Amino acid sequence: MTSEKKHERFMRSALAEAGKSIGQTSPNPAVGAVLVIGNRIVSRGHHRRAGFPHAEIECLRSFRRKVPKNATLYVTLEPCSTRGRTGACTDEIIPAGVNSVVIGATDPNPRHRGRGIEILRSAGIEVRAGVLAEECAALNESFNKWIATGIPFVIAKCGMSLDGRLTRPEKGSRWITSPTARRHAQTLRGETDAILIGAETLRTDNPRLTVRGRRQVRQPVRVVMTRSGKLPRSARFFTDRFAKNSFVYRNMPLGAILAELGQKNITSVVIEGGGNVLGHALDERLIDKVQIYVAPILTGGPIVAFGGRGAPRTHEGAHLERVKFEKIGPDICVTGYPKYDRGERG
């Protein structure tokens, strides 16, 4: 096995560790680490939640012995070099006797990027960075945007018919997608800091906006935006046990709401409707990612999934990159990242 393949093999193990706490660490990133001697992992660690030890520190402490000279520490994100809720990781790695560190992604914070690597190298530690860098960075796409801009990562999520409708024309069940797709969507909620809807969705659907069917998850903050402020006070939003974790923004632009949520350490927001809010977010180019469930049904319902002004010309539309299609029961889940490029020609 080449050294490159070896590094990738153990970095994937570190990525698996990081995956154990996705959605639980905000406003910190999810990070994993493994300590390797020869070709064997001797200790593992992951950052469990904000205020708990970081992944590399948990990994080293779990080893419970003096780190031998031939050991290598693999970590998915550059070790931090500043004190926050916990001490700087570099301050513990150096005295632990680690002689070799392999890093996935560099610190996305422009103020700190590369500093941890420099400190480790100055202490005589051999550092290799950039192993599976894209995969390691993708693990924390929400944190990466928020830490650099102060604005949460925005995901547009909805379930719609083949003709792009959010509702059925007739009375009765308001669901378009299958129970399987709706259960699948709970995973997204469980990995997100906040869910945002418009006032009409609150009035019509009285949604819970909570994570259900999953254990040990943080419930997301619930946000409703309204012009008039006339909202039904009997709605679950105001009366259930999560009411204190709910916020109303009256007559504020969506961009300003997102900025304020970012100041509250909210790193990711899922917009779940309705069509006017989704359309407005698209018009203002505020959407970073879409997760759309398409049901095999034509409804002709009145509510279009993405209303608003729309793109005047095809090349000015939001073209999706890194598109993925997944069959969820009878439905198709489409995920992708909008590219807003006015210079593009279709």
Side-chain angles (χ1 to χ4, degrees):
M1 181 185 297
T2 64
S3 61
E4 186 66 27
K5 292 294 184 182
K6 176 181 177 180
H7 290 324
E8 290 182 359
R9 170 192 167 193
F10 290 121
M11 188 59 72
R12 292 195 189 283
S13 295
L15 276 165
E17 283 296 308
K20 295 177 180 179
S21 58
I22 290 177
Q24 305 301 304
T25 62
S26 185
N28 290 350
V31 183
V34 296
L35 186 67
V36 175
I37 299 177
N39 287 311
R40 186 169 65 93
I41 296 174
V42 296
S43 185
R44 303 172 185 266
H46 63 277
H47 182 44
R48 298 177 184 274
R49 57 177 57 92
F52 281 58
H54 290 184
E56 51 271 61
I57 304 310
E58 181 177 274
C59 180
L60 291 172
R61 291 177 181 174
S62 297
F63 186 54
R64 299 182 184 277
R65 300 190 297 278
K66 180 177 175 59
V67 177
K69 292 183 178 181
N70 63 336
T72 299
L73 178 66
Y74 289 80
V75 59
T76 57
L77 182 65
E78 178 182 354
C80 66
S81 56
T82 56
R83 174 174 289 276
R85 290 183 177 88
T86 60
C89 291
T90 51
D91 290 344
E92 290 205 38
I93 292 173
I94 294 170
V98 176
N99 287 322
S100 177
V101 176
V102 177
I103 295 168
T106 54
D107 192 330
N109 188 336
R111 296 177 297 173
H112 303 150
R113 184 179 297 128
R115 183 177 174 185
I117 294 173
E118 181 181 347
I119 290 173
L120 295 176
R121 284 176 174 162
S122 296
I125 296 175
E126 179 185 355
V127 179
R128 181 186 180 95
V131 175
L132 299 182
E134 290 187 6
E135 292 181 44
C136 291
L139 189 71
N140 292 298
E141 57 188 7
S142 298
F143 173 81
N144 295 343
K145 179 192 176 184
W146 173 77
I147 199 65
T149 67
I151 306 298
F153 187 83
V154 178
I155 305 167
K157 172 257 175 183
C158 66
M160 69 181 189
S161 62
L162 278 174
D163 51 345
R165 266 47 178 194
L166 295 179
T167 60
R168 298 173 182 267
E170 74 278 4
K171 294 181 179 180
S173 173
R174 63 186 173 92
W175 302 115
I176 286 181
T177 55
S178 66
T180 305
R182 298 199 296 275
R183 285 193 297 270
H184 185 271
Q186 292 295 323
T187 299
L188 176 62
R189 283 187 175 183
E191 296 174 355
T192 306
D193 291 346
I195 301 172
L196 184 147
I197 60 171
E200 192 57 33
T201 297
L202 183 71
R203 297 186 191 105
T204 303
D205 296 341
N206 190 18
R208 284 180 281 184
L209 304 180
T210 56
V211 182
R212 301 181 293 279
R214 299 186 68 206
R215 295 182 178 179
Q216 297 179 335
V217 296
R218 299 179 306 119
Q219 290 295 339
V221 169
R222 304 182 300 187
V223 181
V224 62
M225 56 185 298
T226 172
R227 290 191 181 93
S228 67
K230 297 178 181 179
L231 301 171
R233 293 295 156 176
S234 60
R236 295 187 180 101
F237 189 90
F238 299 109
T239 59
D240 66 13
R241 62 193 178 100
F242 303 112
K244 64 180 181 181
N245 209 29
S246 305
F247 298 96
V248 175
Y249 287 93
R250 181 179 179 183
N251 205 25
M252 280 182 64
L254 180 55
I257 294 173
L258 293 172
E260 187 164 317
L261 292 174
Q263 292 175 1
K264 297 179 183 292
N265 288 342
I266 289 174
T267 68
S268 57
V269 174
V270 172
I271 299 178
E272 292 202 4
N276 289 336
V277 178
L278 288 166
H280 178 65
L282 181 62
D283 286 342
E284 297 301 317
R285 303 191 168 206
L286 298 173
I287 298 171
D288 298 299
K289 183 178 182 179
V290 299
Q291 183 160 317
I292 300 173
Y293 296 86
V294 183
I297 182 175
L298 299 166
T299 70
I303 307 299
V304 177
F306 289 83
R309 300 188 306 271
R313 290 177 291 275
T314 301
H315 72 267
E316 294 181 11
H319 294 253
L320 295 187
E321 298 182 324
R322 291 174 281 162
V323 183
K324 293 182 180 180
F325 302 90
E326 182 180 2
K327 194 171 188 303
I328 310 293
D331 307 315
I332 300 295
C333 178
V334 183
T335 58
Y337 299 79
K339 179 183 179 182
Y340 305 105
D341 186 357
R342 291 185 180 277
E344 183 179 348
R345 292 292 181 267

